[in-house]
Amino acid sequence: EAGVVQSPRYKIIEKKQPVAFWCNPISGHNTLYWYLQNLGQGPELLIRYENEEAVDDSQLPKDRFSAERLKGVDSTLKIQPAELGDSAVYLCASSFAGATEAFFGQGTRLTVV
Amino acid sequence: KQEVTQIPAALSVPEGENLVLNCSFTDSAIYNLQWFRQDPGKGLTSLLLIQSSQREQTSGRLNASLDKSSGRSTLYIAASQPGDSATYLCAAHTQGGSEKLVFGKGTKLTVNP
């Protein structure tokens, strides 16, 4: 069974440019998370989806970040415009239901120059 | 607000030693606690999930315990190997309005041959 798939693995962009990350969760998993991980820190939640509904986006900087999960499967996280401080690893995770075991993808390492 | 602390931040041991990693959390209202492993530049690999009603879980050389009343979990690694070198993260799955995994900063383990 395939795990959580994220792309791209690495992205380098200039500040003020837009960037998008894609996530394909494990088949059948209804809950999808996007986490942000800064160097030397634990991941922090950006947004949580239950099927296609964003049920917790309280930590998502909505002035520049947006996310969608069409048809309750794949998800895209977008930043526009990117800032230097957005350089981090963006992790996607999924679980069968809200409080069951979560599985993470390999992450996208974003560098903003 | 849930806070998760991991001690020590880094640990270096000789091969073959048994070791314990510690995790503490401030709010006992959790669904479960999950331990992850993270290799450099990689995503998170789930190691063990302990439900709030359980006391411990075992997988191979790994044993995780949970004492919800005291807000503590430990990960025991038996007969450590150089391949165990990685950062180990614990995450508490919070209950209430904002259900999410709250992570510690991790313990960086080095097992020397």
mmCIF file of all heavy atoms in Angstrom, chain A residues 9-10 33 35 37 40-45 48 56 58-59 91 98-107 109, chain B residues 31-32 34 36 38 41-49 51 89 93 97-106:
data_model
loop_
_atom_site.group_PDB
_atom_site.id
_atom_site.type_symbol
_atom_site.label_atom_id
_atom_site.label_comp_id
_atom_site.label_asym_id
_atom_site.label_seq_id
_atom_site.Cartn_x
_atom_site.Cartn_y
_atom_site.Cartn_z
ATOM 1 N N ARG A 9 9.611 17.432 -3.699
ATOM 2 C CA ARG A 9 10.395 17.168 -2.484
ATOM 3 C C ARG A 9 11.162 18.417 -2.056
ATOM 4 O O ARG A 9 11.338 18.685 -0.880
ATOM 5 C CB ARG A 9 11.395 16.050 -2.717
ATOM 6 C CG ARG A 9 10.799 14.662 -2.781
ATOM 7 C CD ARG A 9 10.196 14.217 -1.430
ATOM 8 N NE ARG A 9 11.027 14.511 -0.284
ATOM 9 C CZ ARG A 9 12.060 13.799 0.116
ATOM 10 N NH1 ARG A 9 12.423 12.738 -0.562
ATOM 11 N NH2 ARG A 9 12.759 14.151 1.197
ATOM 12 N N TYR A 10 11.610 19.169 -3.045
ATOM 13 C CA TYR A 10 12.372 20.380 -2.770
ATOM 14 C C TYR A 10 11.883 21.494 -3.690
ATOM 15 O O TYR A 10 11.508 21.245 -4.829
ATOM 16 C CB TYR A 10 13.873 20.160 -3.002
ATOM 17 C CG TYR A 10 14.444 18.988 -2.246
ATOM 18 C CD1 TYR A 10 14.526 17.731 -2.835
ATOM 19 C CD2 TYR A 10 14.900 19.131 -0.942
ATOM 20 C CE1 TYR A 10 15.039 16.649 -2.139
ATOM 21 C CE2 TYR A 10 15.415 18.060 -0.243
ATOM 22 C CZ TYR A 10 15.477 16.818 -0.844
ATOM 23 O OH TYR A 10 15.985 15.757 -0.149
ATOM 24 N N TYR A 33 -3.910 16.359 7.207
ATOM 25 C CA TYR A 33 -3.280 17.469 7.924
ATOM 26 C C TYR A 33 -2.149 18.057 7.075
ATOM 27 O O TYR A 33 -1.437 17.331 6.377
ATOM 28 C CB TYR A 33 -2.619 16.986 9.222
ATOM 29 C CG TYR A 33 -3.452 16.189 10.191
ATOM 30 C CD1 TYR A 33 -3.583 14.803 10.054
ATOM 31 C CD2 TYR A 33 -4.049 16.793 11.289
ATOM 32 C CE1 TYR A 33 -4.303 14.052 10.980
ATOM 33 C CE2 TYR A 33 -4.766 16.050 12.227
ATOM 34 C CZ TYR A 33 -4.884 14.689 12.054
ATOM 35 O OH TYR A 33 -5.592 13.941 12.981
ATOM 36 N N TYR A 35 1.237 20.198 8.131
ATOM 37 C CA TYR A 35 2.075 20.672 9.232
ATOM 38 C C TYR A 35 3.265 21.439 8.679
ATOM 39 O O TYR A 35 3.747 21.175 7.572
ATOM 40 C CB TYR A 35 2.595 19.497 10.064
ATOM 41 C CG TYR A 35 1.619 18.972 11.087
ATOM 42 C CD1 TYR A 35 0.650 18.031 10.734
ATOM 43 C CD2 TYR A 35 1.665 19.395 12.408
ATOM 44 C CE1 TYR A 35 -0.246 17.541 11.683
ATOM 45 C CE2 TYR A 35 0.777 18.911 13.356
ATOM 46 C CZ TYR A 35 -0.177 17.986 12.979
ATOM 47 O OH TYR A 35 -1.061 17.507 13.913
ATOM 48 N N GLN A 37 7.240 22.437 9.703
ATOM 49 C CA GLN A 37 8.340 22.103 10.606
ATOM 50 C C GLN A 37 9.535 23.006 10.331
ATOM 51 O O GLN A 37 10.144 22.945 9.262
ATOM 52 C CB GLN A 37 8.744 20.635 10.481
ATOM 53 C CG GLN A 37 9.782 20.223 11.512
ATOM 54 C CD GLN A 37 10.135 18.741 11.459
ATOM 55 O OE1 GLN A 37 10.020 18.107 10.427
ATOM 56 N NE2 GLN A 37 10.554 18.183 12.587
ATOM 57 N N GLY A 40 14.954 22.073 13.738
ATOM 58 C CA GLY A 40 15.149 21.823 15.160
ATOM 59 C C GLY A 40 13.883 21.873 15.994
ATOM 60 O O GLY A 40 13.957 21.813 17.228
ATOM 61 N N GLN A 41 12.754 21.991 15.338
ATOM 62 C CA GLN A 41 11.470 22.077 16.038
ATOM 63 C C GLN A 41 10.565 20.906 15.662
ATOM 64 O O GLN A 41 10.788 20.238 14.652
ATOM 65 C CB GLN A 41 10.762 23.388 15.675
ATOM 66 C CG GLN A 41 11.569 24.640 15.951
ATOM 67 C CD GLN A 41 11.805 24.850 17.423
ATOM 68 O OE1 GLN A 41 10.892 24.756 18.242
ATOM 69 N NE2 GLN A 41 13.055 25.144 17.788
ATOM 70 N N GLY A 42 9.551 20.683 16.477
ATOM 71 C CA GLY A 42 8.542 19.714 16.112
ATOM 72 C C GLY A 42 7.561 20.324 15.128
ATOM 73 O O GLY A 42 7.429 21.551 15.049
ATOM 74 N N PRO A 43 6.867 19.500 14.373
ATOM 75 C CA PRO A 43 5.865 20.019 13.431
ATOM 76 C C PRO A 43 4.737 20.750 14.156
ATOM 77 O O PRO A 43 4.361 20.390 15.271
ATOM 78 C CB PRO A 43 5.342 18.755 12.745
ATOM 79 C CG PRO A 43 6.421 17.746 12.909
ATOM 80 C CD PRO A 43 7.025 18.037 14.250
ATOM 81 N N GLU A 44 4.185 21.750 13.483
ATOM 82 C CA GLU A 44 3.048 22.508 14.015
ATOM 83 C C GLU A 44 1.927 22.494 12.980
ATOM 84 O O GLU A 44 2.169 22.691 11.787
ATOM 85 C CB GLU A 44 3.455 23.936 14.343
ATOM 86 C CG GLU A 44 4.505 24.027 15.444
ATOM 87 C CD GLU A 44 4.900 25.457 15.761
ATOM 88 O OE1 GLU A 44 4.509 26.365 14.999
ATOM 89 O OE2 GLU A 44 5.590 25.676 16.767
ATOM 90 N N LEU A 45 0.702 22.317 13.451
ATOM 91 C CA LEU A 45 -0.433 22.197 12.552
ATOM 92 C C LEU A 45 -0.743 23.512 11.837
ATOM 93 O O LEU A 45 -0.794 24.574 12.456
ATOM 94 C CB LEU A 45 -1.680 21.759 13.339
ATOM 95 C CG LEU A 45 -2.952 21.587 12.506
ATOM 96 C CD1 LEU A 45 -2.826 20.354 11.601
ATOM 97 C CD2 LEU A 45 -4.183 21.485 13.400
ATOM 98 N N ARG A 48 -6.364 21.247 9.215
ATOM 99 C CA ARG A 48 -6.854 19.870 9.261
ATOM 100 C C ARG A 48 -8.145 19.769 8.482
ATOM 101 O O ARG A 48 -9.042 20.608 8.648
ATOM 102 C CB ARG A 48 -7.081 19.426 10.707
ATOM 103 C CG ARG A 48 -7.721 18.039 10.839
ATOM 104 C CD ARG A 48 -7.715 17.577 12.297
ATOM 105 N NE ARG A 48 -8.596 18.375 13.130
ATOM 106 C CZ ARG A 48 -9.836 18.016 13.471
ATOM 107 N NH1 ARG A 48 -10.348 16.895 13.027
ATOM 108 N NH2 ARG A 48 -10.561 18.794 14.272
ATOM 109 N N ASP A 56 -10.219 22.780 11.009
ATOM 110 C CA ASP A 56 -9.351 23.575 11.867
ATOM 111 C C ASP A 56 -8.309 24.260 11.002
ATOM 112 O O ASP A 56 -7.360 23.641 10.562
ATOM 113 C CB ASP A 56 -8.677 22.703 12.929
ATOM 114 C CG ASP A 56 -7.859 23.523 13.933
ATOM 115 O OD1 ASP A 56 -7.747 24.758 13.758
ATOM 116 O OD2 ASP A 56 -7.334 22.930 14.885
ATOM 117 N N SER A 58 -7.195 27.415 12.149
ATOM 118 C CA SER A 58 -6.912 28.540 13.040
ATOM 119 C C SER A 58 -5.449 28.966 13.016
ATOM 120 O O SER A 58 -5.127 30.107 13.345
ATOM 121 C CB SER A 58 -7.340 28.207 14.472
ATOM 122 O OG SER A 58 -6.658 27.053 14.942
ATOM 123 N N GLN A 59 -4.538 28.050 12.656
ATOM 124 C CA GLN A 59 -3.119 28.374 12.623
ATOM 125 C C GLN A 59 -2.615 28.704 11.225
ATOM 126 O O GLN A 59 -1.415 28.918 11.035
ATOM 127 C CB GLN A 59 -2.305 27.198 13.192
ATOM 128 C CG GLN A 59 -2.684 26.832 14.623
ATOM 129 C CD GLN A 59 -2.532 28.000 15.574
ATOM 130 O OE1 GLN A 59 -1.490 28.646 15.614
ATOM 131 N NE2 GLN A 59 -3.585 28.281 16.334
ATOM 132 N N LEU A 91 4.857 19.393 5.789
ATOM 133 C CA LEU A 91 4.540 17.971 5.901
ATOM 134 C C LEU A 91 3.038 17.756 5.765
ATOM 135 O O LEU A 91 2.234 18.495 6.328
ATOM 136 C CB LEU A 91 4.980 17.434 7.266
ATOM 137 C CG LEU A 91 6.474 17.415 7.540
ATOM 138 C CD1 LEU A 91 6.738 17.302 9.029
ATOM 139 C CD2 LEU A 91 7.134 16.258 6.808
ATOM 140 N N GLY A 98 -10.253 10.980 12.669
ATOM 141 C CA GLY A 98 -9.572 12.042 13.384
ATOM 142 C C GLY A 98 -8.506 11.620 14.365
ATOM 143 O O GLY A 98 -7.396 12.112 14.331
ATOM 144 N N ALA A 99 -8.807 10.680 15.248
ATOM 145 C CA ALA A 99 -7.868 10.399 16.329
ATOM 146 C C ALA A 99 -7.208 9.038 16.191
ATOM 147 O O ALA A 99 -6.822 8.442 17.178
ATOM 148 C CB ALA A 99 -8.596 10.497 17.665
ATOM 149 N N THR A 100 -7.088 8.561 14.984
ATOM 150 C CA THR A 100 -6.392 7.298 14.754
ATOM 151 C C THR A 100 -4.953 7.570 14.319
ATOM 152 O O THR A 100 -4.551 8.723 14.183
ATOM 153 C CB THR A 100 -7.131 6.457 13.703
ATOM 154 O OG1 THR A 100 -7.254 7.238 12.499
ATOM 155 C CG2 THR A 100 -8.521 6.083 14.190
ATOM 156 N N GLU A 101 -4.202 6.529 14.071
ATOM 157 C CA GLU A 101 -2.779 6.666 13.780
ATOM 158 C C GLU A 101 -2.580 7.532 12.534
ATOM 159 O O GLU A 101 -3.206 7.316 11.498
ATOM 160 C CB GLU A 101 -2.159 5.294 13.571
ATOM 161 C CG GLU A 101 -0.645 5.326 13.440
ATOM 162 C CD GLU A 101 -0.038 3.933 13.390
ATOM 163 O OE1 GLU A 101 -0.813 2.957 13.299
ATOM 164 O OE2 GLU A 101 1.208 3.820 13.438
ATOM 165 N N ALA A 102 -1.681 8.499 12.673
ATOM 166 C CA ALA A 102 -1.383 9.412 11.578
ATOM 167 C C ALA A 102 -0.119 8.969 10.863
ATOM 168 O O ALA A 102 0.847 8.534 11.493
ATOM 169 C CB ALA A 102 -1.217 10.834 12.110
ATOM 170 N N PHE A 103 -0.132 9.093 9.552
ATOM 171 C CA PHE A 103 1.003 8.727 8.714
ATOM 172 C C PHE A 103 1.427 9.960 7.923
ATOM 173 O O PHE A 103 0.582 10.657 7.358
ATOM 174 C CB PHE A 103 0.626 7.582 7.769
ATOM 175 C CG PHE A 103 0.275 6.314 8.486
ATOM 176 C CD1 PHE A 103 -1.026 6.074 8.894
ATOM 177 C CD2 PHE A 103 1.255 5.375 8.775
ATOM 178 C CE1 PHE A 103 -1.357 4.915 9.574
ATOM 179 C CE2 PHE A 103 0.929 4.204 9.456
ATOM 180 C CZ PHE A 103 -0.376 3.978 9.856
ATOM 181 N N PHE A 104 2.737 10.170 7.879
ATOM 182 C CA PHE A 104 3.272 11.367 7.255
ATOM 183 C C PHE A 104 3.934 11.057 5.928
ATOM 184 O O PHE A 104 4.478 9.968 5.714
ATOM 185 C CB PHE A 104 4.298 12.031 8.177
ATOM 186 C CG PHE A 104 3.681 12.842 9.275
ATOM 187 C CD1 PHE A 104 3.091 12.226 10.368
ATOM 188 C CD2 PHE A 104 3.687 14.230 9.215
ATOM 189 C CE1 PHE A 104 2.512 12.973 11.383
ATOM 190 C CE2 PHE A 104 3.105 14.984 10.227
ATOM 191 C CZ PHE A 104 2.517 14.353 11.303
ATOM 192 N N GLY A 105 3.935 12.069 5.048
ATOM 193 C CA GLY A 105 4.694 12.001 3.819
ATOM 194 C C GLY A 105 6.125 12.426 4.047
ATOM 195 O O GLY A 105 6.534 12.711 5.180
ATOM 196 N N GLN A 106 6.910 12.457 2.966
ATOM 197 C CA GLN A 106 8.332 12.792 3.050
ATOM 198 C C GLN A 106 8.572 14.287 3.231
ATOM 199 O O GLN A 106 9.672 14.701 3.569
ATOM 200 C CB GLN A 106 9.052 12.309 1.794
ATOM 201 C CG GLN A 106 9.143 10.803 1.695
ATOM 202 C CD GLN A 106 10.034 10.235 2.781
ATOM 203 O OE1 GLN A 106 11.213 10.524 2.846
ATOM 204 N NE2 GLN A 106 9.468 9.418 3.663
ATOM 205 N N GLY A 107 7.542 15.091 2.981
ATOM 206 C CA GLY A 107 7.686 16.517 3.173
ATOM 207 C C GLY A 107 8.202 17.244 1.940
ATOM 208 O O GLY A 107 8.814 16.640 1.049
ATOM 209 N N ARG A 109 10.639 20.469 1.229
ATOM 210 C CA ARG A 109 11.552 21.453 1.818
ATOM 211 C C ARG A 109 11.542 22.701 0.958
ATOM 212 O O ARG A 109 11.966 22.670 -0.196
ATOM 213 C CB ARG A 109 12.970 20.900 1.934
ATOM 214 C CG ARG A 109 13.950 21.900 2.572
ATOM 215 C CD ARG A 109 15.312 21.267 2.773
ATOM 216 N NE ARG A 109 15.264 20.141 3.685
ATOM 217 C CZ ARG A 109 15.313 20.237 5.010
ATOM 218 N NH1 ARG A 109 15.416 21.435 5.568
ATOM 219 N NH2 ARG A 109 15.273 19.168 5.750
ATOM 220 N N TYR B 31 -6.478 11.768 23.196
ATOM 221 C CA TYR B 31 -7.005 10.533 22.625
ATOM 222 C C TYR B 31 -5.938 9.436 22.646
ATOM 223 O O TYR B 31 -6.213 8.281 22.920
ATOM 224 C CB TYR B 31 -7.442 10.754 21.172
ATOM 225 C CG TYR B 31 -8.704 11.564 21.017
ATOM 226 C CD1 TYR B 31 -8.670 12.805 20.383
ATOM 227 C CD2 TYR B 31 -9.917 11.094 21.477
ATOM 228 C CE1 TYR B 31 -9.821 13.545 20.219
ATOM 229 C CE2 TYR B 31 -11.082 11.836 21.323
ATOM 230 C CZ TYR B 31 -11.029 13.055 20.697
ATOM 231 O OH TYR B 31 -12.164 13.789 20.536
ATOM 232 N N ASN B 32 -4.742 9.851 22.290
ATOM 233 C CA ASN B 32 -3.655 8.895 22.211
ATOM 234 C C ASN B 32 -2.323 9.636 22.194
ATOM 235 O O ASN B 32 -2.287 10.883 22.141
ATOM 236 C CB ASN B 32 -3.790 8.009 20.964
ATOM 237 C CG ASN B 32 -3.869 8.810 19.673
ATOM 238 O OD1 ASN B 32 -2.968 9.586 19.374
ATOM 239 N ND2 ASN B 32 -4.919 8.610 18.905
ATOM 240 N N GLN B 34 1.525 9.302 20.199
ATOM 241 C CA GLN B 34 2.185 8.608 19.100
ATOM 242 C C GLN B 34 3.665 8.964 19.097
ATOM 243 O O GLN B 34 4.035 10.134 19.285
ATOM 244 C CB GLN B 34 1.526 9.023 17.763
ATOM 245 C CG GLN B 34 1.824 8.122 16.603
ATOM 246 C CD GLN B 34 0.911 8.361 15.401
ATOM 247 O OE1 GLN B 34 -0.069 9.111 15.472
ATOM 248 N NE2 GLN B 34 1.228 7.728 14.278
ATOM 249 N N PHE B 36 7.218 8.910 16.867
ATOM 250 C CA PHE B 36 7.689 8.923 15.498
ATOM 251 C C PHE B 36 9.214 8.914 15.476
ATOM 252 O O PHE B 36 9.869 9.347 16.422
ATOM 253 C CB PHE B 36 7.225 10.191 14.762
ATOM 254 C CG PHE B 36 5.744 10.316 14.581
ATOM 255 C CD1 PHE B 36 4.965 10.909 15.555
ATOM 256 C CD2 PHE B 36 5.137 9.857 13.424
ATOM 257 C CE1 PHE B 36 3.599 11.041 15.388
ATOM 258 C CE2 PHE B 36 3.764 9.984 13.246
ATOM 259 C CZ PHE B 36 3.001 10.583 14.234
ATOM 260 N N GLN B 38 12.340 10.346 12.876
ATOM 261 C CA GLN B 38 12.616 11.197 11.724
ATOM 262 C C GLN B 38 14.106 11.132 11.401
ATOM 263 O O GLN B 38 14.937 11.518 12.220
ATOM 264 C CB GLN B 38 12.193 12.652 11.974
ATOM 265 C CG GLN B 38 12.312 13.532 10.741
ATOM 266 C CD GLN B 38 11.692 14.907 10.934
ATOM 267 O OE1 GLN B 38 11.693 15.459 12.021
ATOM 268 N NE2 GLN B 38 11.134 15.467 9.850
ATOM 269 N N GLY B 41 16.411 14.999 6.801
ATOM 270 C CA GLY B 41 15.860 15.306 5.491
ATOM 271 C C GLY B 41 14.669 14.469 5.084
ATOM 272 O O GLY B 41 14.254 14.505 3.921
ATOM 273 N N LYS B 42 14.129 13.713 6.031
ATOM 274 C CA LYS B 42 13.013 12.824 5.708
ATOM 275 C C LYS B 42 11.760 13.238 6.460
ATOM 276 O O LYS B 42 11.782 14.105 7.323
ATOM 277 C CB LYS B 42 13.371 11.386 6.076
ATOM 278 C CG LYS B 42 14.635 10.861 5.417
ATOM 279 C CD LYS B 42 14.449 10.647 3.937
ATOM 280 C CE LYS B 42 15.657 9.975 3.330
ATOM 281 N NZ LYS B 42 15.501 9.768 1.861
ATOM 282 N N GLY B 43 10.664 12.553 6.126
ATOM 283 C CA GLY B 43 9.426 12.763 6.853
ATOM 284 C C GLY B 43 9.421 11.973 8.147
ATOM 285 O O GLY B 43 10.445 11.463 8.584
ATOM 286 N N LEU B 44 8.249 11.865 8.750
ATOM 287 C CA LEU B 44 8.109 11.163 10.021
ATOM 288 C C LEU B 44 7.604 9.748 9.776
ATOM 289 O O LEU B 44 6.659 9.547 9.009
ATOM 290 C CB LEU B 44 7.114 11.898 10.915
ATOM 291 C CG LEU B 44 7.618 13.099 11.712
ATOM 292 C CD1 LEU B 44 8.031 14.236 10.813
ATOM 293 C CD2 LEU B 44 6.555 13.561 12.702
ATOM 294 N N THR B 45 8.223 8.796 10.459
ATOM 295 C CA THR B 45 7.789 7.406 10.401
ATOM 296 C C THR B 45 7.132 7.045 11.724
ATOM 297 O O THR B 45 7.742 7.204 12.785
ATOM 298 C CB THR B 45 8.983 6.467 10.139
ATOM 299 O OG1 THR B 45 9.583 6.821 8.897
ATOM 300 C CG2 THR B 45 8.529 5.015 10.109
ATOM 301 N N SER B 46 5.895 6.570 11.669
ATOM 302 C CA SER B 46 5.193 6.192 12.884
ATOM 303 C C SER B 46 5.808 4.926 13.477
ATOM 304 O O SER B 46 6.033 3.941 12.777
ATOM 305 C CB SER B 46 3.715 5.947 12.588
ATOM 306 O OG SER B 46 3.027 5.540 13.744
ATOM 307 N N LEU B 47 6.099 4.976 14.776
ATOM 308 C CA LEU B 47 6.679 3.831 15.480
ATOM 309 C C LEU B 47 5.634 3.100 16.320
ATOM 310 O O LEU B 47 5.467 1.886 16.212
ATOM 311 C CB LEU B 47 7.820 4.287 16.388
ATOM 312 C CG LEU B 47 9.030 4.915 15.698
ATOM 313 C CD1 LEU B 47 10.001 5.456 16.740
ATOM 314 C CD2 LEU B 47 9.709 3.902 14.785
ATOM 315 N N LEU B 48 4.972 3.854 17.175
ATOM 316 C CA LEU B 48 4.003 3.253 18.093
ATOM 317 C C LEU B 48 2.901 4.254 18.391
ATOM 318 O O LEU B 48 3.159 5.455 18.495
ATOM 319 C CB LEU B 48 4.676 2.849 19.414
ATOM 320 C CG LEU B 48 5.613 1.648 19.384
ATOM 321 C CD1 LEU B 48 6.473 1.612 20.641
ATOM 322 C CD2 LEU B 48 4.809 0.349 19.259
ATOM 323 N N LEU B 49 1.692 3.736 18.553
ATOM 324 C CA LEU B 49 0.551 4.541 18.971
ATOM 325 C C LEU B 49 -0.002 3.923 20.240
ATOM 326 O O LEU B 49 -0.264 2.714 20.281
ATOM 327 C CB LEU B 49 -0.529 4.547 17.891
ATOM 328 C CG LEU B 49 -1.858 5.220 18.256
ATOM 329 C CD1 LEU B 49 -1.705 6.724 18.178
ATOM 330 C CD2 LEU B 49 -2.974 4.749 17.346
ATOM 331 N N GLN B 51 -3.126 4.206 22.816
ATOM 332 C CA GLN B 51 -4.428 4.808 23.095
ATOM 333 C C GLN B 51 -4.455 5.287 24.551
ATOM 334 O O GLN B 51 -3.725 4.765 25.399
ATOM 335 C CB GLN B 51 -5.546 3.791 22.866
ATOM 336 C CG GLN B 51 -5.645 3.279 21.446
ATOM 337 C CD GLN B 51 -6.127 4.327 20.455
ATOM 338 O OE1 GLN B 51 -6.546 5.420 20.819
ATOM 339 N NE2 GLN B 51 -6.063 3.997 19.173
ATOM 340 N N LEU B 89 10.400 11.757 17.937
ATOM 341 C CA LEU B 89 9.399 12.759 18.296
ATOM 342 C C LEU B 89 8.190 12.084 18.922
ATOM 343 O O LEU B 89 7.747 11.030 18.456
ATOM 344 C CB LEU B 89 8.945 13.527 17.058
ATOM 345 C CG LEU B 89 10.006 14.396 16.380
ATOM 346 C CD1 LEU B 89 9.773 14.472 14.898
ATOM 347 C CD2 LEU B 89 9.999 15.783 16.985
ATOM 348 N N HIS B 93 -2.203 13.537 20.930
ATOM 349 C CA HIS B 93 -3.384 13.863 20.134
ATOM 350 C C HIS B 93 -4.439 14.460 21.061
ATOM 351 O O HIS B 93 -5.030 13.760 21.875
ATOM 352 C CB HIS B 93 -3.938 12.620 19.450
ATOM 353 C CG HIS B 93 -4.769 12.950 18.256
ATOM 354 N ND1 HIS B 93 -4.619 12.326 17.043
ATOM 355 C CD2 HIS B 93 -5.751 13.852 18.073
ATOM 356 C CE1 HIS B 93 -5.466 12.832 16.171
ATOM 357 N NE2 HIS B 93 -6.169 13.754 16.778
ATOM 358 N N GLY B 97 -11.945 21.157 21.156
ATOM 359 C CA GLY B 97 -12.289 21.862 19.926
ATOM 360 C C GLY B 97 -11.239 21.759 18.838
ATOM 361 O O GLY B 97 -11.568 21.667 17.654
ATOM 362 N N SER B 98 -9.976 21.769 19.233
ATOM 363 C CA SER B 98 -8.917 21.716 18.233
ATOM 364 C C SER B 98 -8.199 20.383 18.341
ATOM 365 O O SER B 98 -7.203 20.261 19.037
ATOM 366 C CB SER B 98 -7.932 22.869 18.423
ATOM 367 O OG SER B 98 -6.896 22.810 17.473
ATOM 368 N N GLU B 99 -8.735 19.367 17.669
ATOM 369 C CA GLU B 99 -8.118 18.055 17.731
ATOM 370 C C GLU B 99 -6.931 18.009 16.791
ATOM 371 O O GLU B 99 -7.063 18.232 15.581
ATOM 372 C CB GLU B 99 -9.141 16.989 17.334
ATOM 373 C CG GLU B 99 -10.322 16.915 18.289
ATOM 374 C CD GLU B 99 -11.351 15.905 17.841
ATOM 375 O OE1 GLU B 99 -11.086 15.197 16.845
ATOM 376 O OE2 GLU B 99 -12.416 15.832 18.462
ATOM 377 N N LYS B 100 -5.780 17.756 17.340
ATOM 378 C CA LYS B 100 -4.574 17.729 16.521
ATOM 379 C C LYS B 100 -3.459 17.044 17.275
ATOM 380 O O LYS B 100 -3.534 16.839 18.487
ATOM 381 C CB LYS B 100 -4.149 19.156 16.179
ATOM 382 C CG LYS B 100 -3.824 20.002 17.401
ATOM 383 C CD LYS B 100 -3.506 21.444 16.992
ATOM 384 C CE LYS B 100 -3.235 22.304 18.227
ATOM 385 N NZ LYS B 100 -3.011 23.724 17.874
ATOM 386 N N LEU B 101 -2.407 16.702 16.547
ATOM 387 C CA LEU B 101 -1.181 16.200 17.150
ATOM 388 C C LEU B 101 -0.326 17.391 17.568
ATOM 389 O O LEU B 101 -0.020 18.252 16.743
ATOM 390 C CB LEU B 101 -0.410 15.341 16.149
ATOM 391 C CG LEU B 101 -0.990 13.958 15.838
ATOM 392 C CD1 LEU B 101 -0.292 13.361 14.624
ATOM 393 C CD2 LEU B 101 -0.833 13.034 17.030
ATOM 394 N N VAL B 102 0.043 17.422 18.842
ATOM 395 C CA VAL B 102 0.956 18.433 19.356
ATOM 396 C C VAL B 102 2.284 17.753 19.619
ATOM 397 O O VAL B 102 2.353 16.792 20.409
ATOM 398 C CB VAL B 102 0.416 19.098 20.634
ATOM 399 C CG1 VAL B 102 1.428 20.108 21.171
ATOM 400 C CG2 VAL B 102 -0.921 19.779 20.348
ATOM 401 N N PHE B 103 3.322 18.243 18.996
ATOM 402 C CA PHE B 103 4.631 17.590 19.025
ATOM 403 C C PHE B 103 5.582 18.223 20.021
ATOM 404 O O PHE B 103 5.521 19.430 20.286
ATOM 405 C CB PHE B 103 5.289 17.682 17.637
ATOM 406 C CG PHE B 103 4.728 16.748 16.616
ATOM 407 C CD1 PHE B 103 3.599 17.095 15.889
ATOM 408 C CD2 PHE B 103 5.337 15.531 16.363
ATOM 409 C CE1 PHE B 103 3.076 16.234 14.940
ATOM 410 C CE2 PHE B 103 4.827 14.666 15.409
ATOM 411 C CZ PHE B 103 3.697 15.017 14.700
ATOM 412 N N GLY B 104 6.485 17.394 20.542
ATOM 413 C CA GLY B 104 7.665 17.898 21.215
ATOM 414 C C GLY B 104 8.728 18.251 20.180
ATOM 415 O O GLY B 104 8.533 18.050 18.974
ATOM 416 N N LYS B 105 9.867 18.759 20.666
ATOM 417 C CA LYS B 105 10.936 19.150 19.753
ATOM 418 C C LYS B 105 11.809 17.971 19.347
ATOM 419 O O LYS B 105 12.642 18.099 18.450
ATOM 420 C CB LYS B 105 11.795 20.243 20.379
ATOM 421 C CG LYS B 105 11.062 21.558 20.565
ATOM 422 C CD LYS B 105 11.994 22.623 21.123
ATOM 423 C CE LYS B 105 11.256 23.952 21.273
ATOM 424 N NZ LYS B 105 12.143 25.021 21.784
ATOM 425 N N GLY B 106 11.630 16.862 20.023
ATOM 426 C CA GLY B 106 12.360 15.667 19.649
ATOM 427 C C GLY B 106 13.615 15.428 20.466
ATOM 428 O O GLY B 106 14.150 16.336 21.115
#
